[in-house]
Amino acid sequence: MEVEGQDTAINITVKFSGRSIPISVSLDSKIKDVKSLLQPLTNVLPRGQKLIFKGKLLVDGMTLRESEVTNGAKVMLMASQGLHQGDGPILKDAKTRPISRANTSSNKTVNEKIGVLFDKNRVERWKVTGVIGLAECNLKAIPEEVWTCGPSTRVLDISNNFILDVPAQIGCLSSMQKFLLNGNGMLDECIKWKGLTSLKHLTVLSVSHNNLSTLPSELGALCSLRQLHVSNNKLSSLPMEIGLLTQLEVLKVNNNRISNVPMCIGDCSSLAEVDLSSNLLTDLPVTFGDLLNLKALHLGNNGLKSLPSTIFKMCLQLSTLDLHNTEITMDVLRQLEGWQDFDDRRRSKHQKQLDFRVVGSAEFDEGADKL
């Protein structure tokens, strides 16, 4: 591996966990740059690296020249526990050895110790990064180690597993900001929502591709929520408490069985994007006109015949509207106050797309805005 400044390049060998890593660097490279070079080679984050040359710790702000590192030098790398990415540090491949049947019990003990060490390292990494990534791990339950991370957890991703229980203990992750549990086949009773009410910092909740038929009133307690993804479930309605989510910016409820939207949706004053496509809607509440920050509205594949009369007049930031496969006609749209201004905004945003798709056309295409 090489870094810039090859006019004064030297070759050094970095010793790490039984490995010898040859790199070519400039004498004028700073130690922090060498650490960045070593990150993809070792999986150890720069802040977790200690480079030692001739018994002396190398300082980030100094160059190799200033540190008196010369061509052919051997530098030792020591890694701080937990400060690594991916599956952990890239270690030297273990040499194969004959299996001794007589030492089966002792081998088992060693393997158990290794497993404990790995789990400990994993937990330490979770605590340092704040990110617990357990998607697609064939899990049937949330591992007990997760709860030991407590308030240090910012993100928990358990998507695409077979987890059918989110216990009230989830509340101990009190600083969590993102919770992703898509694609687990969860039913309503699988989530202990009272535990989620303790997550006052939660900004993103994604429970798409499950088997949920209702959202409980406890949803309204998630006062910091900015994104709610509940698409591809079996929801027939939204709870009245959704109106308490005044910071909600993105609401994705597409591909459900929703036949009506509560009037209180108008209280979600921060909403900028709403996706209600592929449901059973025949009308929308007039309070949609209160969503003054609304920019994108997806309503395709519903039985809608009209829109709220004030939507174009009041929603002055609206520029994306998907009405594909609805019964709303151009005549209906033209009769709504503010239609022309909306159409101008839409054309301004999507002019290049429109010129490509419908050259010379002045007509509104209900599906043209779908992204």
Side-chain angles (χ1 to χ4, degrees):
M1 295 291 293
E2 300 180 354
V3 296
E4 294 180 359
Q6 296 307 307
D7 53 318
T8 54
I10 61 171
N11 297 313
I12 64 175
T13 301
V14 178
K15 296 288 188 177
F16 173 60
S17 294
R19 299 173 58 208
S20 294
I21 307 172
I23 59 175
S24 179
V25 292
S26 167
L27 265 176
D28 297 314
S29 296
K30 291 187 176 182
I31 301 303
K32 65 179 182 180
D33 298 324
V34 176
K35 290 182 177 181
S36 295
L37 180 66
L38 288 170
Q39 178 177 345
L41 301 176
T42 62
N43 269 3
V44 180
L45 299 173
R47 67 177 183 274
Q49 298 179 29
K50 291 182 179 179
L51 294 177
I52 300 172
F53 178 60
K54 292 184 176 180
K56 185 171 62 176
L57 181 66
L58 301 182
V59 181
D60 283 355
M62 295 181 65
T63 66
L64 289 171
R65 189 192 302 275
E66 293 169 339
S67 303
E68 300 180 348
V69 178
T70 56
N71 188 49
K74 294 181 180 179
V75 178
M76 181 181 294
L77 168 61
M78 296 183 65
S80 298
Q81 192 174 35
L83 290 173
H84 50 258
Q85 61 183 2
D87 294 324
I90 302 174
L91 307 178
K92 183 178 181 180
D93 293 337
K95 296 181 179 179
T96 58
R97 295 183 297 178
I99 298 176
S100 174
R101 301 285 181 187
N103 295 327
T104 301
S105 59
S106 60
N107 287 340
K108 181 178 180 181
T109 302
V110 171
N111 289 334
E112 288 175 350
K113 290 181 178 178
I114 293 174
V116 171
L117 179 61
F118 172 77
D119 286 343
K120 182 179 178 181
N121 289 342
R122 180 173 69 168
V123 171
E124 288 302 313
R125 182 167 74 250
W126 290 346
K127 289 181 178 179
V128 169
T129 64
V131 178
I132 303 176
L134 292 171
E136 300 182 1
C137 290
N138 293 317
L139 298 175
K140 294 184 179 180
I142 299 176
E144 287 296 320
E145 310 99 280
V146 169
W147 312 127
T148 67
C149 295
S152 64
T153 304
R154 295 182 297 105
V155 178
L156 174 58
D157 185 356
I158 55 172
S159 299
N160 301 317
N161 283 291
F162 304 95
I163 297 172
L164 296 178
D165 181 31
V166 178
Q169 198 172 1
I170 194 72
C172 74
L173 309 181
S174 55
S175 298
M176 186 159 60
Q177 299 170 19
K178 294 183 180 180
F179 189 19
L180 314 177
L181 53 159
N182 307 307
N184 278 283
M186 290 186 178
L187 301 171
D188 296 339
E189 59 270 20
C190 295
I191 303 176
K192 306 303 184 291
W193 288 88
K194 287 187 177 180
L196 268 69
T197 60
S198 301
L199 307 179
K200 301 302 182 183
H201 301 284
L202 194 67
T203 59
V204 177
L205 176 62
S206 189
V207 291
S208 297
H209 294 275
N210 281 290
N211 292 310
L212 303 178
S213 60
T214 60
L215 292 176
S217 59
E218 286 87 349
L219 181 68
L222 303 178
C223 54
S224 297
L225 205 61
R226 294 189 177 183
Q227 294 187 29
L228 177 59
H229 301 259
V230 289
S231 61
N232 293 91
N233 277 283
K234 299 178 181 179
L235 301 176
S236 57
S237 63
L238 295 174
M240 295 294 293
E241 289 76 11
I242 198 169
L244 300 174
L245 305 180
T246 56
Q247 295 190 48
L248 193 65
E249 298 173 358
V250 176
L251 175 61
K252 297 206 170 185
V253 206
N254 51 292
N255 295 89
N256 277 283
R257 301 172 180 175
I258 296 175
S259 57
N260 62 77
V261 178
M263 293 284 287
C264 61
I265 193 71
D267 295 330
C268 300
S269 54
S270 300
L271 272 176
E273 180 180 0
V274 177
D275 192 346
L276 286 163
S277 58
S278 299
N279 276 287
L280 304 175
L281 297 171
T282 55
D283 58 22
L284 296 177
V286 295
T287 50
F288 256 81
D290 297 334
L291 302 178
L292 305 185
N293 293 302
L294 190 63
K295 296 178 181 179
L297 180 58
H298 303 277
L299 299 170
N301 296 297
N302 277 288
L304 295 168
K305 296 182 180 180
S306 64
L307 294 175
S309 60
T310 60
I311 194 164
F312 294 138
K313 178 183 177 182
M314 302 301 295
C315 301
L316 299 181
Q317 295 191 52
L318 184 64
S319 59
T320 297
L321 178 63
D322 169 29
L323 298 175
H324 193 72
N325 287 340
T326 67
E327 297 185 42
I328 300 176
T329 65
M330 277 299 303
D331 289 337
V332 170
L333 294 175
R334 289 194 183 101
Q335 291 174 16
L336 297 177
E337 187 176 358
W339 155 256
Q340 192 57 56
D341 289 338
F342 160 75
D343 197 35
D344 291 341
R345 289 194 304 273
R346 180 188 66 85
R347 289 176 179 277
S348 176
K349 179 179 179 180
H350 301 291
Q351 191 62 54
K352 291 183 180 179
Q353 295 178 2
L354 289 172
D355 290 343
F356 175 77
R357 296 177 184 178
V358 195
V359 178
S361 172
E363 293 299 317
F364 174 79
D365 179 354
E366 289 88 345
D369 286 335
K370 189 168 185 179
L371 301 177

